[in-house]
């Protein structure tokens, strides 16, 4: 396999954070020597998450075995996932905001037609449902654990306890039509065909769409991590991958 130098469009704060956490982990478990330093292991993990390189490519580029590359990346992802904010912590942050924006997205996965529980009829592809919460400026606050692609957005929000948390905390939230019936805490646009709506309702829906546009931009930021554009790992690992990316995004925007 040919090897060439490349670059990552990430800040050094992400590398420093992961290197620091990996150093602490090695001290905790008593590791004395490894093929890669904490810095190189951190860089390998960032390349995996940001560029979506396969373990074979990472192993060749960093001069380690395939199993070693897999073990190093898995360990680093677990370290980052632990640092991701919980729903309770996210609600504490959201309570200090004027309002929040809620939206759901589908993370495509590599599955065959037989895997119906993961097939989203709306997107016409297999994937995992993720609920994302952002502040009024489109800054990421929280990302939910993943559910099968067949799960509707409002059902996913209820399953995670997000709607109850928003209502209990009296937090105003803007969301799209998929969240119709979520309760008084969640504001959604008026339902119906555009040509049947009154002028007042059309104006409200336009204003509503402008607010939610920042949440849509956050989805693009989340999927700038190329690994999330087409996941080929076990579905049981995807939640930790999303949490790892969330931790890195919050570090970069801190």
């Amino acid at each position: 396999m040919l090897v060439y130098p490349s670059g990552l469009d990430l800040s050094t704060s992400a590398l420093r954070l992961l290197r620091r956490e990996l150093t602490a982990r090695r001290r905790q478990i008593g590791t004395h020597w490894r093929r890669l330093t904490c810095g190189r292991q951190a860089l390998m993990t960032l390349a995996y998450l940001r560029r979506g390189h396969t373990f074979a490519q990472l192993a060749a580029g960093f001069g380690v075995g395939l199993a070693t590359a897999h073990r190093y990346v898995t360990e680093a992802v677990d370290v980052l996932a632990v640092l991701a904010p919980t729903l309770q912590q996210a609600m504490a942050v959201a309570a200090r905001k004027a309002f929040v924006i809620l939206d759901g997205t589908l993370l495509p996965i590599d599955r065959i037609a037989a895997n119906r529980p993961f097939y989203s009829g709306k997107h016409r592809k297999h994937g995992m449902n993720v609920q994302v919460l952002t502040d009024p400026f489109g800054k990421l606050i929280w990302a939910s654990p993943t559910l099968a692609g067949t799960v509707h957005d409002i059902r996913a929000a209820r399953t995670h306890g997000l709607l109850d948390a928003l209502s209990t905390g009296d937090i105003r939230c803007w969301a799209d039509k998929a969240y119709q019936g979520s309760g008084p805490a969640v504001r959604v646009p008026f339902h119906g065909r555009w040509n049947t709506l009154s002028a007042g309702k059309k104006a409200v829906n336009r204003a509503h769409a402008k607010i939610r546009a920042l949440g849509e931009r956050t989805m693009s930021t989340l999927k700038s991590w190329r690994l999330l554009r087409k996941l080929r790992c076990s579905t049981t690992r995807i939640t930790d991958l999303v949490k790892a990316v969330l931790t890195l995004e919050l570090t970069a925007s801190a």
Side-chain angles (χ1 to χ4, degrees):
M1 187 176 292
L2 299 176
V3 179
Y4 67 96
S6 184
L8 288 174
D9 53 339
L10 293 172
S11 67
T12 56
S13 60
L15 181 63
R16 288 196 301 268
L17 168 70
L18 185 49
R19 182 178 58 194
R20 183 174 64 249
E21 294 298 326
L22 287 172
T23 300
R25 173 171 171 77
R26 291 191 186 186
R27 289 200 191 102
Q28 180 184 9
I29 63 179
T31 299
H32 298 291
W33 179 87
R34 288 193 183 184
R35 287 292 302 274
L36 296 182
T37 64
C38 293
R40 295 289 287 174
Q41 182 181 357
L43 185 61
M44 174 190 285
T45 304
L46 293 178
Y48 172 74
L49 294 172
R50 190 68 175 182
R51 306 300 296 175
H53 292 318
T54 64
F55 289 118
Q57 292 171 321
L58 294 172
F62 285 84
V64 296
L66 183 61
T68 301
H70 184 278
R71 186 172 66 253
Y72 279 8
V73 169
T74 301
E75 178 187 44
V77 167
D78 290 342
V79 166
L80 288 172
V82 172
L83 301 177
T86 63
L87 178 59
Q88 291 73 24
Q89 292 170 330
M91 288 299 103
V93 174
R96 299 194 295 267
K97 308 295 182 180
F99 61 88
V100 294
I101 303 169
L102 171 63
D103 202 358
T105 188
L106 187 81
L107 302 180
I109 60 175
D110 186 17
R111 288 294 183 275
I112 61 175
N115 297 115
R116 299 301 297 178
F118 301 101
Y119 186 78
S120 169
K122 174 184 176 182
H123 299 276
R124 297 184 179 180
K125 63 178 67 174
H126 295 82
M128 301 294 286
N129 180 294
V130 176
Q131 300 295 301
V132 176
L133 209 60
T134 66
D135 71 5
F137 302 100
K139 180 181 175 182
L140 194 60
I141 296 177
W142 181 73
S144 74
T146 58
L147 295 173
T150 53
V151 179
H152 194 272
D153 282 338
I154 188 172
R155 179 184 166 193
R158 286 185 177 133
T159 300
H160 299 309
L162 180 55
L163 300 182
D164 289 339
L166 291 170
S167 180
T168 301
D170 195 23
I171 300 169
R172 293 191 299 171
C173 176
W174 265 251
D176 60 24
K177 293 179 181 179
Y179 298 90
Q180 289 277 356
S182 295
V186 181
R187 300 189 179 187
V188 297
F190 287 105
H191 187 69
R193 294 183 178 274
W194 183 258
N195 57 4
T196 63
L197 296 177
S198 65
K201 289 183 178 180
K202 288 180 180 179
V204 170
N205 281 7
R206 287 194 193 97
H208 194 281
K210 289 180 181 178
I211 293 173
R212 288 194 305 101
L214 292 173
E216 296 289 346
R217 188 174 68 184
T218 303
M219 292 300 185
S220 299
T221 301
L222 194 64
K223 291 189 178 181
S224 64
W225 299 82
R226 293 194 178 184
L227 180 71
L228 301 183
R229 297 181 189 178
K230 186 69 172 182
L231 290 153
R232 295 177 174 84
C233 62
S234 169
T235 54
T236 60
R237 292 288 304 164
I238 297 178
T239 291
D240 283 342
L241 291 172
V242 172
K243 287 183 177 180
V245 169
L246 173 61
T247 299
L248 293 171
E249 279 291 333
L250 294 178
T251 300
S253 60

